[in-house]
Amino acid sequence: MDPFLQAAIDEAQAGRDEGGIPIGSVIVHQGKIIGRGHNRRVQQGSAILHGEMDAFENAGRQSAQVYRESVLYTTLSPCPMCSGAILLYGIPKVVIGENQTFMGDEDLLRSRGVAVEVRQDPTCVGLMRDFIAAQPQLWNEDIGEP
Amino acid sequence: MDPFLQAAIDEAQAGRDEGGIPIGSVIVHQGKIIGRGHNRRVQQGSAILHGEMDAFENAGRQSAQVYRESVLYTTLSPCPMCSGAILLYGIPKVVIGENQTFMGDEDLLRSRGVAVEVRQDPTCVGLMRDFIAAQPQLWNEDIGEP
């Protein structure tokens, strides 16, 4: 298993174990994790701390150079907000655990030159399938659906 | 003066007075401000709390219905991250103070059906002109530029 995707999965599982939405992310610069995070909607009552956003926030203020040499790993296809953060900072490559339970803004990322790699990892799929089945309303809230 | 754009300007000025980046935003639902905020990069060492994101966060967890009946006001054209948040939550209308000092992802917003209104407000332009002249490096960091 890719250790960085595994680290993102570890974050997702930590979120699930806290009663939250099981999506995790890490940002990797030159082979080292510089930021990691998971969705905090439930835990912090947050409308913006998706897993990827939490990883950006925990990475702290970085130079443009660092972002432009980094890879973002996320357990789930990134929504428009997280895709926008990836574009803002010029992250050149995104590795996605799966896009079977939710399709984010991958086409926008590709259209702007971001390399997008989807792994269809069964652990990532299972985390989201179980969560969506158990808490469909919470999931809809997280993606702005009624 | 539009009282909601004025409220966004008040936020931007509060941010400036804290030594931060002078961009503010409010989210208005049925004529009432439900969230307001300003850029917190300097104040909180945040990579994600642009003015619009801070307003979303301070509005708290809202239903899809509320977002879909809301208008977002921002003193500056929204970057890809903030535009993505607007798209995630289905905000139907955005009022922008100005886009002369920075052009955000307005075309993406329009292409996905968001009504975008640009006011070219001289106070908003002045806040950003003064800030960019005084701290060009900090501004570049905020928009992911080297």
Side-chain angles (χ1 to χ4, degrees):
Chain A
M1 163 66 87
D2 180 324
F4 299 128
L5 184 57
Q6 183 59 56
I9 293 171
D10 291 347
E11 285 290 328
Q13 289 171 331
R16 178 199 58 192
D17 295 348
E18 292 163 5
I21 299 172
I23 304 169
S25 177
V26 299
I27 298 170
V28 176
H29 180 245
Q30 296 180 338
K32 190 174 156 246
I33 294 175
I34 60 168
R36 53 193 301 153
H38 54 264
N39 188 300
R40 310 271 180 181
R41 178 172 296 271
V42 171
Q43 297 93 320
Q44 295 189 24
S46 175
I48 64 170
L49 286 173
H50 278 188
E52 300 90 326
M53 303 299 288
D54 195 42
F56 273 114
E57 190 67 335
N58 290 334
R61 291 170 56 180
Q62 300 287 340
S63 70
Q65 184 64 28
V66 168
Y67 290 122
R68 290 172 189 202
E69 296 168 349
S70 292
V71 180
L72 183 141
Y73 289 73
T74 175
T75 55
L76 182 67
S77 186
C79 83
M81 173 175 67
C82 299
S83 296
I86 289 161
L87 293 174
L88 169 64
Y89 287 121
I91 302 283
K93 182 175 176 181
V94 177
V95 177
I96 296 172
E98 63 106 355
N99 64 9
Q100 292 174 15
T101 65
F102 174 77
M103 177 56 83
D105 234 334
E106 294 176 17
D107 284 347
L108 177 68
L109 291 173
R110 287 194 186 92
S111 76
R112 300 214 182 162
V114 179
V116 175
E117 197 177 304
V118 184
R119 298 278 172 88
Q120 306 300 17
D121 177 83
T123 305
C124 295
V125 175
L127 278 165
M128 284 306 293
R129 284 232 169 104
D130 291 351
F131 165 67
I132 294 170
Q135 299 195 66
Q137 208 165 350
L138 176 57
W139 175 233
N140 281 338
E141 182 193 321
D142 202 53
I143 52 173
E145 293 292 336
Chain B
M1 164 66 88
D2 179 324
F4 299 127
L5 184 56
Q6 183 60 56
I9 293 171
D10 291 347
E11 286 290 327
Q13 290 172 331
R16 179 200 57 194
D17 295 349
E18 292 162 5
I21 299 173
I23 305 169
S25 177
V26 299
I27 299 170
V28 177
H29 180 245
Q30 296 181 339
K32 190 175 156 244
I33 294 174
I34 60 168
R36 53 193 301 152
H38 54 265
N39 188 299
R40 311 269 179 182
R41 177 171 296 271
V42 171
Q43 298 92 320
Q44 295 188 24
S46 175
I48 65 169
L49 286 173
H50 278 188
E52 300 90 327
M53 302 300 288
D54 195 42
F56 273 114
E57 191 66 335
N58 291 333
R61 292 170 57 181
Q62 298 288 341
S63 70
Q65 184 63 28
V66 167
Y67 289 122
R68 291 174 188 199
E69 295 167 350
S70 291
V71 180
L72 182 142
Y73 289 73
T74 175
T75 56
L76 182 66
S77 186
C79 84
M81 173 175 67
C82 298
S83 296
I86 289 161
L87 293 175
L88 169 64
Y89 288 122
I91 301 285
K93 183 176 175 180
V94 177
V95 178
I96 296 172
E98 62 106 353
N99 63 10
Q100 292 175 13
T101 65
F102 173 78
M103 176 57 80
D105 235 333
E106 295 177 16
D107 285 347
L108 177 67
L109 291 173
R110 288 193 186 92
S111 76
R112 300 215 181 160
V114 179
V116 175
E117 198 177 304
V118 183
R119 296 279 171 86
Q120 306 300 18
D121 177 84
T123 304
C124 294
V125 175
L127 278 165
M128 283 307 293
R129 284 232 170 104
D130 291 350
F131 165 67
I132 293 170
Q135 299 194 68
Q137 209 166 347
L138 176 58
W139 175 232
N140 282 338
E141 182 193 320
D142 203 51
I143 52 174
E145 293 292 336

